């Protein structure tokens, strides 16, 4: 079964019963570009301090079923999301042009 780095990380954090704050920030073109979202939501729900943030750069009318923010987050938006930007470890992945 294929997976994603974010999903692997969420499962590892859940298995370790991590108490640290975790923000998963995803940028996608549309809902068809969103693999494993339900599974990521389930894994994040097992973490007491996890939050999911979804940005859609090219939403389609049917994408309204998934709560998201439009566009791509810039540095200011990312800093606003993070609990403590100065001491936060950030991992980013995804295809170019998402």
């Amino acid at each position: 079964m294929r997976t994603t780095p974010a999903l692997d990380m969420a499962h590892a954090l859940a298995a370790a019963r991590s108490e640290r704050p975790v923000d998963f920030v995803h940028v996608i073109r549309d809902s068809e570009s969103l693999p494993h979202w339900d599974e990521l939501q389930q894994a994040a729900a097992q973490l007491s301090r996890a939050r999911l943030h979804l940005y859609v750069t090219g939403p389609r009318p049917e994408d309204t079923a998934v709560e998201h923010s439009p566009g791509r987050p810039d540095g200011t938006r990312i800093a606003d999301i993070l609990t403590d930007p100065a001491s936060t470890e950030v991992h980013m992945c995804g295809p170019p042009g998402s």
Side-chain angles (χ1 to χ4, degrees), residues 50-73:
R51 299 181 303 173
L52 299 174
H53 310 273
L54 180 63
Y55 291 84
V56 181
T57 60
R60 302 168 307 154
E62 56 269 28
D63 290 341
T64 58
V66 179
E67 184 178 338
H68 66 272
S69 297
R72 186 181 312 277

Side-chain angles (χ1 to χ4, degrees), residues 47-97:
L47 299 167
S48 62
R49 299 177 68 192
R51 299 181 303 173
L52 299 174
H53 310 273
L54 180 63
Y55 291 84
V56 181
T57 60
R60 302 168 307 154
E62 56 269 28
D63 290 341
T64 58
V66 179
E67 184 178 338
H68 66 272
S69 297
R72 186 181 312 277
D74 59 12
T76 301
R77 288 170 108 179
I78 295 292
D80 288 344
I81 289 170
L82 303 176
T83 305
D84 183 5
S87 65
T88 298
E89 184 176 320
V90 176
H91 302 267
M92 301 181 90
C93 65

Side-chain angles (χ1 to χ4, degrees), residues 4-86:
T4 66
L7 183 56
D8 289 343
M9 184 177 291
H11 283 305
L13 290 168
R17 300 179 195 268
S18 176
E19 293 293 324
R20 73 185 208 196
V22 179
D23 286 280
F24 293 97
V25 181
H26 281 264
V27 179
I28 60 169
R29 281 186 218 61
D30 54 50
S31 62
E32 285 187 11
S33 306
L34 188 58
H36 309 291
W37 186 247
D38 291 338
E39 192 175 351
L40 181 59
Q41 287 177 310
Q42 291 169 5
Q46 296 176 39
L47 299 167
S48 62
R49 299 177 68 192
R51 299 181 303 173
L52 299 174
H53 310 273
L54 180 63
Y55 291 84
V56 181
T57 60
R60 302 168 307 154
E62 56 269 28
D63 290 341
T64 58
V66 179
E67 184 178 338
H68 66 272
S69 297
R72 186 181 312 277
D74 59 12
T76 301
R77 288 170 108 179
I78 295 292
D80 288 344
I81 289 170
L82 303 176
T83 305
D84 183 5

